[in-house]
Amino acid sequence: MRTDTSWGTLPAREHLPVEVTEAPVLDVTIPVYNEEQDLEPCVRRLHDHLARTFPYSFRITIADNASTDRTPEVSARLDAELPEVRAYRLEQKGRGRALRTVWSHSDSPVLAYMDVDLSTDLNALLPLVAPLISGHSDLAIGSRLSRSSRVVRGPKREFISRAYNLILKSSLSARFSDAQCGFKAIRRDVAQRLLPMVEDTGWFFDTEMLVLAERAGLRIHEVPVDWIDDPDSTVNIIGTATEDLKGVWRVGRALAVGALPLDRLVRPFGDDPRDRRLPGVPGGLARQLVGFCVVGALSTLFYLLLYSLFRAMAGPQLANAAALLVSAIANTAANRRLTFGVRGRDGAVRHQAQGLVVFAIGLALTSGSLAALDAASGNPAHSTELAVLIAANLAATVLRFLLLRAWVFPDRRADDQLRTDDHLRADGPTDGFTDGPTDIDSHADSAALYSRNAR
């Protein structure tokens, strides 16, 4: 996965300035490959719709993916005849490559794309980009699976679409409803930070971008769309599905091992109260409690299983100590990653050492409970031992969470963020679309892959 990107603080989302600028507010990209028949009527229809209904300046960019028919000639003619249309030529195929290349070099604050067949009703275009213009959201997608969407397509493609989104929800915990609808938009300042992390250059580009954006905490707005299937579509469904499944596996594995530095994208992002850091008020408590409870429940089952296994070979005190030690190491590692969001190897040994101190406290509580039970009943039943251990573990859970949160995994980012916010307030307001250096312009798929068609 691409992670070699310089990172800085992304400004809070703001409404686009109302004053007129040279750059168009919206840049709509249309990726095409051998579309000499459909390209011109579709572009003219889109241009007419935007000219009549869109209240901001716009541009339509034709991204030719190494077409071998007359598509480049049609693109060049539209570029010459319509001032709001420009044509790019890429010498390599790939929808993701085309979007990354065009979006990387666009000066528009809102970037969008749609398929050349215009299957989506164009009346959804303004609702798609409005949340990005207003500063409410970071990305926007059209959804054919919303309850209020009206869709006309065959049962085969309907099944494939719903099955694919079910796979995304079950394997990558995706919450957006439609990954592959060719009708999406993104704010340029977000694209500058997000696109270098997206590896795919083909049809999985959309899904990967959305999954990473969602995991990074970016806000994705969904718009119900009216959509009519194109029966003449040249998309290879089987090949595309295969590549998508490979992409799901790759991204899922990268997320599971913490290979993506998504924490670098976690930052105050607008006026959502959940994004604010207040002195003395810890953040993320609800999420951490849920994560801690899930890890704790699994750890308890693991601990009881180990205790039952060790108890068959040793006395209760030794079995308890061994089971608690092994489960404590696993518990610390799981809480480190899943509950408190700490990734990478930095501080892992120290965290485990501190976790062993917490383990010692739990050992004292559970061992003391077993000793008290033995003194009271002499030879208690195994079920009684398990009940006492469960009660002792529940009593130790609250103390364990407090120690993990306040001592082992303190939220140092809160203090860092407060210092950053104070610095930004001292420097004055920042325009969310101020141009600045970005590594996206040095991407391997950049200027070498395309050239502007001459007018």
Side-chain angles (χ1 to χ4, degrees):
M1 307 295 289
R2 296 185 177 96
T3 59
D4 51 341
T5 305
S6 59
W7 302 88
T9 301
L10 188 62
R13 292 186 300 263
E14 295 181 353
H15 195 295
L16 294 186
V18 295
E19 58 267 17
V20 178
T21 60
E22 294 184 1
V25 171
L26 174 65
D27 191 346
V28 182
T29 301
I30 302 180
V32 293
Y33 174 72
N34 288 350
E35 297 285 355
E36 61 179 3
Q37 297 296 327
D38 296 335
L39 179 58
E40 182 167 359
C42 289
V43 169
R44 292 191 179 276
R45 177 185 164 199
L46 174 60
H47 181 272
D48 177 69
H49 176 83
L50 290 171
R52 288 186 298 103
T53 67
F54 194 68
Y56 299 93
S57 56
F58 66 89
R59 176 193 298 137
I60 300 173
T61 301
I62 304 170
D64 177 16
N65 286 144
S67 295
T68 56
D69 62 358
R70 295 181 55 255
T71 296
E73 301 174 22
V74 177
S75 301
R77 184 170 68 253
L78 292 170
D79 186 315
E81 295 180 4
L82 301 175
E84 293 83 8
V85 175
R86 66 176 179 177
Y88 274 37
R89 166 75 178 183
L90 291 88
E91 298 303 331
Q92 291 178 279
K93 292 178 61 178
R95 182 177 68 174
R97 176 180 288 108
L99 293 176
R100 177 163 44 223
T101 301
V102 173
W103 285 355
S104 299
H105 294 82
S106 178
D107 54 357
S108 297
V110 176
L111 311 169
Y113 97 89
M114 61 181 61
D115 294 333
V116 68
D117 55 20
L118 300 186
S119 295
T120 304
D121 182 13
L122 293 179
N123 287 326
L125 183 56
L126 183 55
L128 181 80
V129 301
L132 310 187
I133 294 174
S134 69
H136 174 271
S137 301
D138 307 303
L139 298 91
I141 64 174
S143 174
R144 299 163 295 185
L145 303 181
S146 173
R147 291 184 178 180
S148 57
S149 298
R150 294 183 295 179
V151 177
V152 178
R153 61 176 167 181
K156 179 180 178 181
R157 297 194 66 149
E158 179 75 12
F159 172 78
I160 292 175
S161 178
R162 291 189 178 275
Y164 179 64
N165 282 281
L166 181 62
I167 291 173
L168 294 181
K169 292 180 182 296
S170 59
S171 61
L172 298 179
S173 300
R175 296 190 298 271
F176 48 85
S177 65
D178 193 350
Q180 288 287 20
C181 180
F183 196 69
K184 296 183 176 68
I186 185 172
R187 285 170 64 103
R188 180 169 64 93
D189 57 347
V190 175
Q192 289 175 339
R193 307 299 181 90
L194 180 59
L195 294 187
M197 302 178 67
V198 179
E199 182 174 325
D200 191 79
T201 59
W203 292 95
F204 187 69
F205 174 88
D206 304 53
T207 302
E208 186 171 358
M209 179 180 68
L210 291 174
V211 170
L212 299 187
E214 189 173 73
R215 290 297 184 94
L218 304 182
R219 180 177 291 156
I220 301 175
H221 179 76
E222 295 198 18
V223 178
V225 297
D226 298 341
W227 194 84
I228 300 177
D229 188 17
D230 178 11
D232 298 324
S233 174
T234 58
V235 176
N236 184 339
I237 296 179
I238 301 300
T240 300
T242 302
E243 292 302 315
D244 286 346
L245 292 177
K246 291 180 180 178
V248 169
W249 168 256
R250 172 176 55 79
V251 172
R253 182 177 58 182
L255 291 172
V257 301
L260 291 167
L262 297 180
D263 55 315
R264 298 177 183 179
L265 294 179
V266 177
R267 57 214 177 268
F269 214 45
D271 294 328
D272 191 330
R274 294 171 298 179
D275 294 334
R276 296 175 184 171
R277 298 285 190 178
L278 302 178
V281 179
L285 179 60
R287 181 191 60 79
Q288 290 179 357
L289 279 173
V290 172
F292 180 79
C293 290
V294 172
V295 172
L298 296 177
S299 297
T300 300
L301 293 176
F302 183 50
Y303 159 74
L304 293 175
L305 178 63
L306 290 177
Y307 177 80
S308 298
L309 179 64
F310 294 153
R311 185 66 178 85
M313 301 178 290
Q317 294 289 359
L318 182 59
N320 175 61
L324 199 56
L325 175 61
V326 175
S327 61
I329 294 174
N331 181 277
T332 300
N335 275 312
R336 181 178 189 268
R337 171 67 190 280
L338 300 177
T339 303
F340 299 99
V342 180
R343 295 177 173 83
R345 298 180 179 179
D346 293 344
V349 176
R350 174 173 57 82
H351 292 154
Q352 283 293 349
Q354 292 172 306
L356 289 178
V357 175
V358 178
F359 150 76
I361 297 174
L363 178 63
L365 289 173
T366 54
S367 297
S369 300
L370 284 175
L373 176 64
D374 185 67
S377 60
N379 187 23
H382 181 65
S383 58
T384 305
E385 289 181 351
L386 290 179
V388 170
L389 287 175
I390 291 174
N393 271 287
L394 290 176
T397 296
V398 175
L399 180 60
R400 186 183 305 123
F401 177 75
L402 294 176
L403 287 174
L404 288 176
R405 181 176 172 83
W407 180 48
V408 183
F409 307 110
D411 191 3
R412 296 186 176 89
R413 289 182 299 177
D415 295 334
D416 295 340
Q417 190 58 59
L418 283 173
R419 287 192 292 269
T420 300
D421 292 345
D422 291 341
H423 176 72
L424 290 175
R425 282 192 292 267
D427 290 344
T430 303
D431 183 359
F433 293 96
T434 300
D435 289 333
T438 172
D439 285 352
I440 197 171
D441 290 329
S442 61
H443 196 279
D445 295 330
S446 60
L449 298 178
Y450 72 94
S451 62
R452 178 79 184 272
N453 285 330
R455 291 187 179 274

